Every structure is written in structure tokens, then in C-alpha cells.
Amino acid sequence: MRSLSGRLDLCSINTATLGHKESIAQVIDDVARSGFGGICPWRRDFADYDVAKAARRIRDAGLKVTGYCRSTYLTAVTEREYQENLDGNYRAIDQAATLEAECFVMVVGSLPAGSRDLARARAKVVEGTASLCQYARKAGVRLALEPLHPMYAGDRSCLNTIAQALDIADALEPDAGETPTLGVAVDVYHVWWDPNLERDIARAGALNRLFAFHVCDWLVPTRDFLTDRGMMGDGIIDIRFAREIVERSGYQGLVEVEIFSELNWWQKDAETTLATCSERLQSLC
Amino acid sequence: MRSLSGRLDLCSINTATLGHKESIAQVIDDVARSGFGGICPWRRDFADYDVAKAARRIRDAGLKVTGYCRSTYLTAVTEREYQENLDGNYRAIDQAATLEAECFVMVVGSLPAGSRDLARARAKVVEGTASLCQYARKAGVRLALEPLHPMYAGDRSCLNTIAQALDIADALEPDAGETPTLGVAVDVYHVWWDPNLERDIARAGALNRLFAFHVCDWLVPTRDFLTDRGMMGDGIIDIRFAREIVERSGYQGLVEVEIFSELNWWQKDAETTLATCSERLQSLC
């Protein structure tokens, strides 16, 4: 297992951690100046900033792009909406290619409004992922299926375990070999509770499908379903144990911090948040 | 699959659904008068009402006792606290026997304060369940391990899937045959998202370990982690599908309604809540 002490070059900041308050140009500069080795931007960061320009700025700053967040949900009420979602994702995959991102992070959606048919939503996710996989392979972009915590199964993601993600990857890309297009993003927030965590991460590693590793913490109590993630060390996840499993299974990428925290960290300035991430990554993760 | 239309005798009310506002005597009378076939009381219902007296009142009202809620958490900071938790559970098992409850519902606890060691908490749960199982077998009481939704894995339960519960049951009671002491309580709220739901319920049924079936609904959005469960039909769970699986797998017990709803149903009178449960059970579940 790698030591992160003095190795911020092995660490990355997901731009959501800073609350999307500053321009992406500013965030790139802040993250690089703080010594981190990588960044993971969101599509919303490019609402008024050119992706190619940002890609150059990121490269010039010496940062890797550990991922690009995130897919439009695949599930939809109508077939037309489903096609529009695919189209949006094709464009985002092109942007991920421009950014030379390690992966395009896929949050797949769940039950369309009015539906209780989880099996159908899951089948639609497989169908959509198949289409995106073909497109992404040609674009040279890897797709990281991100299982979301089961508390999001009603609205945000019907993909809820690493095993489920790997089953999809294996079904769609059975003989992927050394360089699969489909893999998983392991975020400790979503999977820390899973009784099969070690088994399934080992399986992902053996298949070369570990594309991203995200850290933050689970607060007790948690006050909001979406935006009350904790800084590493402030909650109850054994993050170092999770990293040990991931690295033992072959993961050699960066450790990415992704914290949604409306009530705490998003209210602080970027410098404070980045300094705290730096300290916690090196001492606790 | 049984029809519930005109068959409220197949349905039961967990007393938490009514918010613990009235005495257990009143609740027994209300539930019986509304035509339900069963009731599932909580230990707190007997803070100032004798258990044996309640048991007689329940029998006289013609109600079955579909369960008795619930265990003191098994996990603890100190060995002394752990022993006290066991002792509390022994006393509750005796009460479950007095009530002739179908099962004693076990919510097992999770990380003790200050701990991040989920594997250790899970091992302690197995150890505690082994002790309770011996005691319960002598008392003629069945223990229903209740997997709780993974969003409770930090504080309330490190037992989060049916598969996990069955693994514990099989390990502690490998040759249970027709009348195991250890089984599971399947609550749709906790397990509806599980990709292995059909497989694991079938496994539970084949082992004669389906001891209880609880219904309510998952609201989108959910506003509180603990007390924002929905009335059947107000959320996104396919409850009828879950009941179909459970009954196909051999479950012949009652369908128990357990709704924690600080913001809605607990603010209504018992008559309204019971009438709504009755209507939804018969038309939607």
C-alpha cells in the first residue's frame, strides 16, 4: 500500500468538493497550487468556459484528470427522452476525451417518474450502457460505472453495488482483457457498508476494471440525503482499509476527494478546504 | 399469491405505525375493531402495562402477535455493556414468549461510538446472536434477524442484506430443518433496492427462515433518515411484487404494516391511519 504522506501527487480534488463557487480556471489554479496531482471536473464547470482551453490549462498546471463527472441519467419516461440522454452523454464522452480524463463517471439514474419497475430501469441501464460503451471505445474514453448508495435507489441510481456494476461490465464486454472500456468508480461513501466489499473490489481489480477511487466520510448523524458528506476523518468510514483493498487489488490511480457538503465545507473558502483535504489525506487515508 | 381483498385477517399492524400515542390497551382495541388479524407491539408499549395482561387482551381480541419489537443493540463499547445488552434481550425474549409472538425482531446495532471497525461489529453480532439463539430456543421463541437499509449501517445495524442474515443463521444453526429458531424479517423498506432480492428471499423460504414480512413505502424525496416512511402506495416500492416473491417462497404469515412517519401519519388519529392501511393493503399490496 502506498503512503500518501508527502505524496499529494497521488491525490486529486473533485471540483464538487469546492462547491462550484469559483470559475474552473480559478479552481484548476487553486488545486495545482495546493500541490495536488489531479482534478476531476464536472460538466457544469464548462457552462461558460471552453473545454479545450480548460484541458490545456490543466495540463499546463501539471494535473492529471482523474475523471469527468458525470453522465446524464440513462433512464427516462419516454423513448425520446432516453435518446436525448444518450446524445447528451455522447457529447460528454467527447469532452472527456478532450480532457484526457481517466474515465467518464456514470451515474445511471433510476425509476422514471411514475414507475415502480426497478427491473425495467435496470434493464434500460444495461441497454444504454451498451450504446455508450461502443461510442466511448471509439473515442478512447473509459466508462466508470459508479454504484450509488442504496439510499439513492429511488431516484438517482438503480446501480447500487460493485457486483452489479461488474455484472453489467462482464455482460457487455466479456473479453475485455488488459484494457476494458467498462469499469467501476469505487466511492467509499456509496459502498463502505457492503458485506462483499473485499470480494467485489478484488474481482474488479482482477478484471482491470478499477477506474477510480473516491474518498470522503459518512457522518453520524447524516442530516441531508445528498449534501452532508463528511471530510475524511470526521465520520465512521475506515478509509485506509478501503484504500488498502483497492490498491491490493491493483489500483494505481489517484485518490480523489469528493465531498458534497452544503452545511459545512461549501461554506468555507477553497484554501481552507484544500488544506484540510491535504492534511487528512496524508495523515488518515 | 393470496388476495388481501376482504382478508384483513391476513394483515397486521405494528404499533409504531400509530406513533405510540395511546396506551397499548387502546391500540389493541383499535386494531381489532378495524378488522386486522394481527398486531406487533414494541417493548416501550409495556413501560406501564403488564405484558401478561396485554397478552390476554390480545388473545381475547382475536389477534395474532406477528412479532415483538425489538432487540437492544448487540454491539457495545465495553464488554460489560455488551453483557447488559444480552441480558436485556433475554428478558425481552421471555416477554415474546408470554405474548406468543411469531418472532422477536432483532435490530442488531452497528459501530460502537469511536469505532470504524465494521468487521468487528459484525463479528460481535454473530457472537451475540449465538447466545440469544440458545436462550430463545429454550423459550420457544423464534428470532427474526432484520436487515436494515444500508443507510443505517453507521449507527443502527451492520446487518444490511437478507443474504447476510441468512449467512449468520446458517452458520449458527446449520441443520435447523423444519423449525429453525433463526430467520429473517423482510421489511420492504430496507430491502426493496437489493439486486439479489428474489434470489435471497427464495433462499430464506427454502430454509424455512421467512419469519415476518413488513410493508410501508419509500417516499421520493425522503425528508428524514428515520421517520419519513410512506403509506403503501405513496412511494416507489413495488410492494405487491415483493409480497409475491415472499409468498411464492413459502411465507404464510401475516402482512405487517410498519410506518415511522413523524411528519405525516403520526400526526393523524388512529382511526384515519388504520382505515388508510386497510384500504391500501386490500387494493395495492
Side-chain angles (χ1 to χ4, degrees), chain B residues 114-177:
Chain B
S115 170
R116 291 187 178 89
D117 192 342
L118 197 57
R120 183 174 155 73
R122 284 173 169 159
K124 205 68 188 171
V125 164
V126 175
E127 181 190 331
T129 303
S131 300
L132 296 188
C133 180
Q134 287 195 331
Y135 190 93
R137 193 176 291 126
K138 286 180 199 156
V141 171
R142 303 195 300 176
L143 300 181
L145 293 163
E146 182 169 31
L148 254 53
H149 193 287
M151 71 184 180
Y152 302 119
D155 43 3
R156 297 176 180 276
S157 177
C158 56
L159 175 63
N160 306 105
T161 64
I162 295 170
Q164 234 186 319
L166 293 175
D167 287 347
I168 294 172
D170 287 352
L172 296 180
E173 202 185 28
D175 304 304

Side-chain angles (χ1 to χ4, degrees), chain A residues 36-184:
Chain A
F36 294 95
I39 193 168
C40 177
W42 281 62
R43 289 161 77 183
R44 58 184 286 179
D45 291 323
F46 306 118
D48 48 16
Y49 198 92
D50 182 65
V51 174
K53 196 172 148 191
R56 281 192 300 276
R57 193 174 187 117
I58 291 170
R59 271 195 297 277
D60 291 347
L63 296 173
K64 291 180 179 160
V65 179
T66 49
Y68 185 40
C69 283
R70 65 170 172 71
S71 61
T72 306
Y73 296 159
L74 297 174
T75 52
V77 174
T78 64
E79 190 61 22
R80 181 177 170 171
E81 191 194 329
Y82 168 73
Q83 288 298 337
E84 287 171 356
N85 293 351
L86 285 186
D87 289 342
N89 285 320
Y90 295 143
R91 290 192 297 274
I93 288 167
D94 291 337
Q95 295 179 328
T98 301
L99 289 162
E100 297 177 12
E102 288 291 320
C103 57
F104 179 54
V105 178
M106 286 185 56
V107 174
V108 300
S110 191
L111 297 169
S115 170
R116 290 188 178 88
D117 192 343
L118 197 57
R120 183 175 156 71
R122 285 174 169 159
K124 205 68 187 171
V125 164
V126 175
E127 182 189 331
T129 302
S131 300
L132 296 188
C133 180
Q134 287 195 330
Y135 190 92
R137 191 176 293 125
K138 287 180 199 156
V141 171
R142 304 195 300 177
L143 301 181
L145 294 163
E146 183 168 30
L148 254 54
H149 193 287
M151 71 184 180
Y152 302 119
D155 43 4
R156 297 178 179 274
S157 177
C158 57
L159 175 63
N160 306 107
T161 64
I162 295 170
Q164 234 186 319
L166 294 175
D167 286 348
I168 294 172
D170 288 353
L172 296 181
E173 202 185 26
D175 302 306
E178 295 293 311
T179 56
T181 296
L182 291 176
V184 293

Side-chain angles (χ1 to χ4, degrees), chain A residues 111 115-116 118 122 149-151 153-155 160-161 164 192-195 218 220 222 224-225 233 235-238, chain B residues 111 115-116 118 122 149-151 153-155 160-161 164 192-195 218 220 222 224-225 233 235-238:
Chain A
L111 297 169
S115 170
R116 290 188 178 88
L118 197 57
R122 285 174 169 159
H149 193 287
M151 71 184 180
D155 43 4
N160 306 107
T161 64
Q164 234 186 319
W192 72 275
W193 60 271
D194 191 335
W218 180 280
V220 175
T222 297
D224 184 271
F225 267 70
I236 49 82
I237 301 178
D238 189 342
Chain B
L111 297 169
S115 170
R116 291 187 178 89
L118 197 57
R122 284 173 169 159
H149 193 287
M151 71 184 180
D155 43 3
N160 306 105
T161 64
Q164 234 186 319
W192 72 275
W193 60 272
D194 191 334
W218 181 280
V220 176
T222 297
D224 184 272
F225 267 70
I236 49 81
I237 302 177
D238 190 341

Side-chain angles (χ1 to χ4, degrees), chain A residues 204-244:
Chain A
L207 296 163
N208 303 301
R209 295 204 201 268
L210 282 174
F211 289 178
F213 179 58
H214 301 173
V215 298
C216 68
D217 216 334
W218 180 280
L219 300 176
V220 175
T222 297
R223 297 161 294 176
D224 184 271
F225 267 70
L226 190 59
T227 60
D228 196 26
R229 298 191 189 187
M231 177 63 66
M232 298 75 74
D234 289 348
I236 49 82
I237 301 178
D238 189 342
I239 300 170
R240 185 168 285 173
F241 173 67
R243 185 165 73 86
E244 189 186 322

